[in-house]
Amino acid sequence: MARWLAVGRHTLFALLLVIGTVRAVGSDTELRWLIPLVLVTAAWYVVGTAWRAPFVTAGAGPWWLLGLTLLWGGLVVLSPDFVWVAFALWLLSVHLMAFPLAMAYSVLVLAVVIGVQIDLGTHLAGAILGPAIGCLVALAASRGEQLLAREAVERQELVDRLVATQEEMVVLHDDLTRTQRESGALAERTRLSRDIHDTLAQGFSSILLLARAGEHQQDPAELHTLLRRIEETAGDNLEESRRVVNALTPAALEGSGLSAALSRLVESMSSESGIVADFTVDGPEAPLATAQEVALLRVAQSALANVRQHSGASRVMVTLTTAPDQVRLDVADDGVGFDAAAWEDAAPLPAPRGGYGLRSMRDRLRDLGGDLVVESAPGDGTVLGAHLPVSVPGAEPSRKAGDGS
């Protein structure tokens, strides 16, 4: 739109200059002065506006307009028929000067136009009102064009900023998607590492302990019993590995509740290790979500594996307690114990060997809104207390065999 308005200004100037020239020629104006001055004026205008000369666009516009005004004044002196070229000058002034300076310039040009009209014998009111109205119309039109151009520039800048913002949002969305994907992958790796530690690693430890116990066994019947236990443990862990890979419910929980699974786990631990192990249930079985039951079962598996491998205990007590707002699993042994305070200080850091199990238990429980409390001292045994809220928002209750589902 701004381009067409500029074309209109140029066309108007050329039309007024041509009309003035034709009328001047018809009024017997001396052509030896008229034609050269008209050509110089046209050339000055073309160089300064139509071609957008650098000296005009660089800030010398007012001086160029002053030169054009002097040429216009010379044409008016030759013939008053050029007086209405002033309308084009008023249009140009707003674009090439600051608005207050353009107003002052326009008043001076208006005074020249009024003076010429009075000199031609035009009625005083017409000599003043006609040029004044023309001046106001030109200034208003030029000012409106300038505001529209400024608004168009601001609108384009806004569009450019919006496009840039959209591009940034696309980049941020891609970054967020990549971060979520990486976070999901990390969470899955963490889950698998916990499950592998709590199942396969513990199963391998059991097999290793049974194999070591059979190294010095001379009784064929006892050796056969050990081999059968190794086979059973290996088979159970093979099945568990398949379920870990497919993220299914642990086999120990299928068709039974948590307390039954814990009872079998404690009984198996006692028969395999010779450690006296007791399991007690305090309160009715809580309606836990599958994820909660899996977490508590994994904690029990890992805790009992630690008792068997590291504690040197002769007795271990496992207790499942149900309260109105939480379920608690306690595993207490009479073994050698360890410095729990030192472990708490170093818990966020991986130990050179071992120590992953306790961190894994705590992380698993905290993911479900619970926690793990470790109480131990050298020579004073160890107590692990795992607790979870009775319900987890958004979690589905576990489904036992025979519940009608």
Side-chain angles (χ1 to χ4, degrees):
M1 181 178 180
R3 178 184 176 185
W4 289 111
L5 290 174
V7 170
R9 285 198 308 272
H10 303 330
T11 303
L12 177 62
F13 181 85
L15 184 61
L16 292 175
L17 189 62
V18 170
I19 292 174
T21 301
V22 172
R23 289 176 63 87
V25 171
S27 60
D28 298 329
T29 304
E30 291 188 27
L31 297 181
R32 62 172 182 165
W33 295 108
L34 177 64
I35 298 303
L37 192 55
V38 168
L39 293 177
V40 170
T41 302
W44 184 262
Y45 185 87
V46 170
V47 170
T49 59
W51 289 358
R52 301 182 66 84
F55 75 89
V56 173
T57 57
W63 298 106
W64 172 85
L65 183 60
L66 178 60
L68 184 64
T69 305
L70 293 176
L71 292 172
W72 167 75
L75 290 173
V76 172
V77 170
L78 289 176
S79 172
D81 295 308
F82 290 99
V83 72
W84 292 112
V85 176
F87 194 84
L89 299 179
W90 289 326
L91 290 174
L92 289 170
S93 65
V94 176
H95 292 278
L96 299 176
M97 297 179 176
F99 193 70
L101 183 59
M103 292 292 293
Y105 167 84
S106 299
V107 169
L108 293 176
V109 173
L110 177 62
V112 173
V113 175
I114 292 174
V116 171
Q117 292 298 311
I118 294 175
D119 186 61
L120 291 175
T122 306
H123 189 274
L124 183 61
I128 296 175
L129 290 178
I133 292 174
C135 178
L136 291 176
V137 170
L139 292 176
S142 190
R143 181 62 173 173
E145 178 188 350
Q146 190 179 54
L147 294 177
L148 286 175
R150 183 180 303 169
E151 182 180 352
V153 171
E154 292 176 352
R155 187 183 299 112
Q156 185 60 45
E157 291 177 351
L158 177 60
V159 170
D160 292 341
R161 287 198 297 269
L162 289 175
V163 171
T165 301
Q166 184 179 14
E167 292 174 352
E168 291 178 0
M169 290 184 66
V170 170
V171 173
L172 290 175
H173 181 269
D174 293 341
D175 291 342
L176 178 60
T177 301
R178 184 171 58 257
T179 301
Q180 290 176 336
R181 184 167 57 249
E182 293 173 354
S183 177
L186 178 61
E188 184 64 13
R189 286 197 298 269
T190 302
R191 182 191 70 80
L192 287 174
S193 68
R194 292 172 183 169
D195 286 347
I196 290 172
H197 175 274
D198 294 340
T199 56
L200 304 182
Q202 309 304 340
F204 290 142
S205 297
S206 297
I207 293 173
L208 182 62
L209 290 174
L210 290 173
R212 287 174 178 172
E215 287 181 354
H216 307 290
Q217 183 60 252
Q218 302 298 327
D219 187 351
E222 291 294 333
L223 184 59
H224 179 73
T225 300
L226 283 174
L227 290 175
R228 187 174 64 253
R229 287 182 180 176
I230 290 174
E231 180 183 4
E232 291 174 353
T233 303
D236 291 343
N237 278 272
L238 176 60
E239 182 66 23
E240 191 67 45
S241 69
R242 292 169 180 164
R243 296 178 183 276
V244 168
V245 171
N246 291 283
L248 297 177
T249 303
L253 289 174
E254 285 192 346
S256 62
L258 176 63
S259 59
L262 291 174
S263 178
R264 289 194 297 271
L265 179 65
V266 171
E267 181 180 353
S268 175
M269 188 266 189
S270 179
S271 63
E272 292 177 2
S273 65
I275 299 174
V276 178
D278 297 314
F279 174 63
T280 304
V281 178
D282 185 3
E285 187 165 352
L288 298 176
T290 299
Q292 294 174 299
E293 291 189 338
V294 171
L296 291 175
L297 179 62
R298 297 303 191 208
V299 167
Q301 289 173 327
S302 186
L304 292 178
N306 287 342
V307 170
R308 181 165 50 188
Q309 296 175 41
H310 307 300
S311 71
S314 60
R315 187 179 185 87
V316 61
M317 172 68 72
V318 179
T319 306
L320 180 66
T321 305
T322 302
D325 59 344
Q326 70 173 10
V327 61
R328 183 179 182 90
L329 176 69
D330 295 298
V331 180
D333 67 68
D334 60 355
V336 298
F338 65 98
D339 190 346
W343 175 84
E344 289 285 356
D345 293 338
L349 303 175
R353 291 193 61 183
Y356 177 82
L358 292 177
R359 292 195 303 275
S360 174
M361 293 183 218
R362 175 167 286 176
D363 291 342
R364 184 190 293 275
L365 294 168
R366 286 180 175 176
D367 286 346
L368 297 174
D371 207 346
L372 177 72
V373 178
V374 180
E375 298 178 4
S376 183
D380 198 25
T382 302
V383 177
L384 301 183
H387 63 85
L388 286 173
V390 169
S391 63
V392 175
E396 293 295 332
S398 63
R399 294 180 177 179
K400 309 295 188 299
D403 65 356
S405 54

